[in-house]
Amino acid sequence: MSPTSHARARRRDRQVYLGGHPVLFGLLAASRGRPVRRIGGTLLVHGADAYREALTRLPLDRTAEGTTGAAARSALGGDGGVLFDQEGGGHRSDRRDLAGGLGAAGVEELRARWQPLLARRLAPLAQGAEVDLVELARELSGTVVCALLGSGADPCAVARAAAEAAAASVRSHLPGPRRPRAEAAAARAARRLRDLLGGVQEAGRTDGALAAMVAVAAVNTTVAALPRAVAWCADAGLWDQARDEALRAALAAELLRVTAASPLLPRAAAADGTVGGCPVRAGDRLLLVARHAADAHRRDPDARRPAEPAQSRLVFGAGAHACPGARLASVQLADVLAALAPYRPVVTRARVDRGAALPGWRTLCVRAAS
């Protein structure tokens, strides 16, 4: 591993922003010199302490236009965004509904589903063939979602519907050009997703909103994060760390930190306050830059000298609304790295997904090193 290798990894990873979200990347890069910067009625929050303060101490309006909660509501066809736009008892209840499946025991059960899939999908590497990690991530995420929800739907169909729902809604809430007729497209994709997951019922809920939310969140973050993390590992020559059982979990956390699948958390202030010493007015929009708070833009991943867990976990948010799937994401990526490490794969083809909700690859093919 060398600085040159990490520079190569950064150049490739930057393409997912420049190709899919160029206006967003330019805005964030230009404003990151201060922990907090105000532009009109919007605060861009880059510093770790200010980011954490905004998520844990400032009252937030989780249903406001332009927020993750509003995007989740759109992705679910106009129903509540469930975990994303809830507060209080409803939020705690839905998190409890997910706790069993996303806790330590639940993740171990899910591993029994994805490990055979990894062995099957990566077997062509032994014969010198290419494997598209985006296709793998799509099937993997759909399989996990169906297992978590007890659904008999086709995993790839679920993944496609969840990706379409997110792409039609989330992009309309990010800075930059907006897709025409995004709301109608989101509603159609949400209906397809609901139909696929139609057999899922939750206690006290008959509309399947929680199930659809789980599918949208899990699929889109996995399909964005996993191929980017593997590409970075390959470009920076980190396969020795990936093969080391004692280092693998730390490497997975580091790769999730630097790739930051959800690099930006759009929020809105519900009351006056301060963030990083900067006054905030009720109604102000906040763009919380997770990748900068986690120091992803400056600090290279290294399992031997990892960032403190309190910092690396910032890519999953902070406080009561932190992502409940953090453990799942970390264990899943560690298993993918373990399965790939014997082949020491290199990236052979990569194409940016210009229509995805999150920065990611449309194609990311690898082949075993010769």
Side-chain angles (χ1 to χ4, degrees), residues 134-157:
V134 176
E135 291 184 0
L136 170 64
R138 191 175 293 122
E139 184 176 358
L140 179 63
S141 62
T143 298
V144 167
V145 164
C146 290
L148 188 62
L149 298 175
S151 171
D154 175 72
C156 292

Side-chain angles (χ1 to χ4, degrees), residues 158-330:
V158 168
R160 284 193 298 271
E164 290 169 5
S169 60
V170 174
R171 283 181 65 86
S172 68
H173 296 273
L174 292 174
R178 297 193 174 188
R179 304 179 87 185
R181 298 180 295 278
E183 291 185 3
R188 290 193 298 271
R191 285 195 295 272
R192 287 194 294 273
L193 182 58
R194 292 286 186 86
D195 289 343
L196 287 167
L197 298 174
V200 177
Q201 299 289 326
E202 303 100 16
R205 188 188 301 273
T206 59
D207 60 5
L210 180 59
M213 184 284 301
V214 169
V216 168
V219 166
N220 286 280
T221 53
T222 300
V223 173
L226 193 152
R228 288 177 60 196
V230 172
W232 194 304
C233 190
D235 288 338
L238 299 176
W239 292 120
D240 287 341
Q241 293 188 12
R243 292 193 71 161
D244 190 330
E245 189 173 350
L247 295 175
R248 192 178 301 130
L251 177 62
E254 282 287 275
L255 290 170
L256 290 171
R257 176 181 66 82
V258 296
T259 53
S262 298
L264 178 71
L265 307 182
R267 299 290 188 267
D272 294 350
T274 60
V275 170
C278 181
V280 179
R281 298 182 293 270
D284 278 349
R285 188 177 186 190
L286 297 98
L287 300 181
L288 311 179
V289 190
R291 71 185 304 268
H292 293 169
D295 213 18
H297 59 308
R298 292 184 299 196
R299 182 171 181 167
D300 294 329
D302 187 348
R304 294 186 175 89
R305 290 175 291 277
E308 292 294 323
Q311 184 175 44
S312 63
R313 284 197 295 264
L314 290 177
V315 296
F316 296 105
H321 283 77
C323 175
R327 179 196 297 272
L328 171 63
S330 300

